[in-house]
Amino acid sequence: MKVITNISLWQKTRQNLPFDKTLGVVMTMGALHKGHLSLIEQSKKQNDFTLVSIFINPTQFNNQDDLAKYPKTWDQDIALLEAADVDFLFAPCFDEMYPDDYRYKITENSFSQILCGKSRPGHFDGVLTVVMKLLQLAQAHRAYFGEKDYQQLHLIKQMVKAFFISTKIIGCPIIREEDGLAFSSRNIRLSKTAREKARLFAQMFHQNQPLEAIKAMFEQQDIEIDYLEAHCNRRFAAVLIDGVRLIDNLELKK
Ligand code: PAF
């Protein structure tokens, strides 16, 4: 795997890839897990080359403490990417990615204002801006995003349409641990007792019950609710378990 931290070196590398070969990109903030690996697997199946980016994007964190606590597992990430036979790792620094110091940004003013966007003001401006930058740099044929961040996936799909970007955005199913908890980089931060609460969260969230009943179950387990809502035939939740923010979503049966 070629590790590239410099934008101009990546651009040269990209230019030198054979014209008739395809490139898939998987964008990450590191702390890689089986969810990321499933995106990489999908990219490898559908493309000749796979690029993974690792960039902990500060502009999508509205809370400095959350940014500081975001897990960083560089050596382990490299080992996982090598084992997954990824072709390129792009890991730029802030100054490379934001030569404008974030004076320019992408804002969506409808779906980004609810759910995660409501409780994390500016979050989706940061996400959409960095994803646009990475799409421009990658010049990939396909980009892979997990359905765990369903709101993010939907906003990226709409952004790509709005700005005539030719990269195809591919949504991939949520990968769960054996007990039903969705894989997330944040899971590493859960203590043993918090992990047990997280299991209950996932289990209760999936019950075929009205939202009010699920809310009551969360409250009974002392699970702090950020939101629990249904939109477009999908149920969404974000909760805080011992200060760790976990999200989940599922399609509702008709
Ligand atoms: O889903 C993530 O890990 C991030 O939001 C992304 C898409 C890599 C942008 O920083």
Side-chain angles (χ1 to χ4, degrees):
M1 180 175 70
K2 202 165 176 191
V3 180
I4 300 175
T5 54
N6 172 283
I7 287 184
S8 55
L9 181 58
W10 162 252
Q11 285 171 324
K12 267 187 217 126
T13 309
R14 178 68 189 93
Q15 270 167 20
N16 289 334
L17 288 183
F19 196 68
D20 58 342
K21 302 282 184 204
T22 60
L23 175 71
V25 62
V26 176
M27 302 175 189
T28 83
M29 298 204 295
L32 303 179
H33 50 69
K34 285 190 179 157
H36 296 117
L37 294 179
S38 75
L39 305 182
I40 292 169
E41 205 178 304
Q42 187 70 3
S43 171
K44 285 188 64 72
K45 265 190 212 151
Q46 295 183 332
N47 301 283
D48 299 299
F49 296 103
T50 292
L51 163 71
V52 172
S53 66
I54 296 185
F55 177 64
I56 301 182
N57 176 36
T59 66
Q60 69 187 74
F61 288 83
N62 60 314
N63 175 330
Q64 286 311 301
D65 189 46
D66 192 25
L67 172 60
K69 286 187 178 148
Y70 200 82
K72 291 155 198 87
T73 57
W74 178 257
D75 291 341
Q76 195 185 308
D77 291 350
I78 300 274
L80 284 174
L81 295 176
E82 294 272 15
D85 206 16
V86 164
D87 301 285
F88 306 103
L89 167 61
F90 178 56
C93 65
F94 180 83
D95 289 348
E96 285 270 305
M97 284 302 282
Y98 287 94
D100 61 327
D101 206 19
Y102 200 38
R103 282 184 300 117
Y104 289 86
K105 62 173 81 162
I106 295 204
T107 300
E108 192 275 355
N109 60 19
S110 176
F111 189 51
S112 69
Q113 305 300 310
I114 60 169
L115 303 171
C116 285
K118 193 170 172 194
S119 40
R120 302 180 71 191
H123 169 65
F124 285 116
D125 288 2
V127 169
L128 294 178
T129 304
V130 81
V131 169
M132 177 62 101
K133 285 171 186 268
L134 290 166
L135 286 171
Q136 296 292 352
L137 290 170
Q139 295 295 319
H141 296 80
R142 301 180 184 88
Y144 299 81
F145 295 90
E147 285 182 352
K148 182 175 75 69
D149 296 289
Y150 193 87
Q151 192 179 10
Q152 165 176 287
L153 170 65
H154 182 80
L155 286 164
I156 292 170
K157 278 189 176 165
Q158 298 295 310
M159 173 179 77
V160 158
K161 223 169 146 186
F163 289 96
F164 314 108
I165 304 286
S166 59
T167 307
K168 191 169 175 353
I169 303 300
I170 299 180
C172 301
I174 301 178
I175 306 296
R176 297 182 180 278
E177 303 211 28
E178 258 173 39
D179 63 9
L181 180 65
F183 275 99
S184 161
S185 301
R186 293 171 190 267
N187 292 358
I188 313 175
R189 289 182 49 211
L190 294 167
S191 67
K192 210 171 162 202
T193 44
R195 179 64 186 76
E196 173 55 16
K197 253 193 202 180
R199 179 186 71 80
L200 291 174
F201 157 60
Q203 204 182 61
M204 295 182 303
F205 178 72
H206 280 82
Q207 290 197 16
N208 193 11
Q209 299 274 347
L211 289 182
E212 276 314 307
I214 293 172
K215 188 169 173 245
M217 287 188 258
F218 285 172
E219 282 168 354
Q220 207 183 21
Q221 293 299 330
D222 242 354
I223 292 173
E224 190 183 331
I225 304 168
D226 176 5
Y227 59 76
L228 174 63
E229 294 172 31
H231 296 272
C232 320
N233 205 40
R234 212 162 250 281
R235 176 186 292 164
F236 297 86
V239 296
L240 278 152
I241 297 182
D242 285 0
V244 181
R245 195 165 190 282
L246 300 177
I247 60 172
D248 206 341
N249 71 86
L250 62 86
E251 192 176 357
L252 296 169
K253 291 190 183 76
K254 283 190 188 150

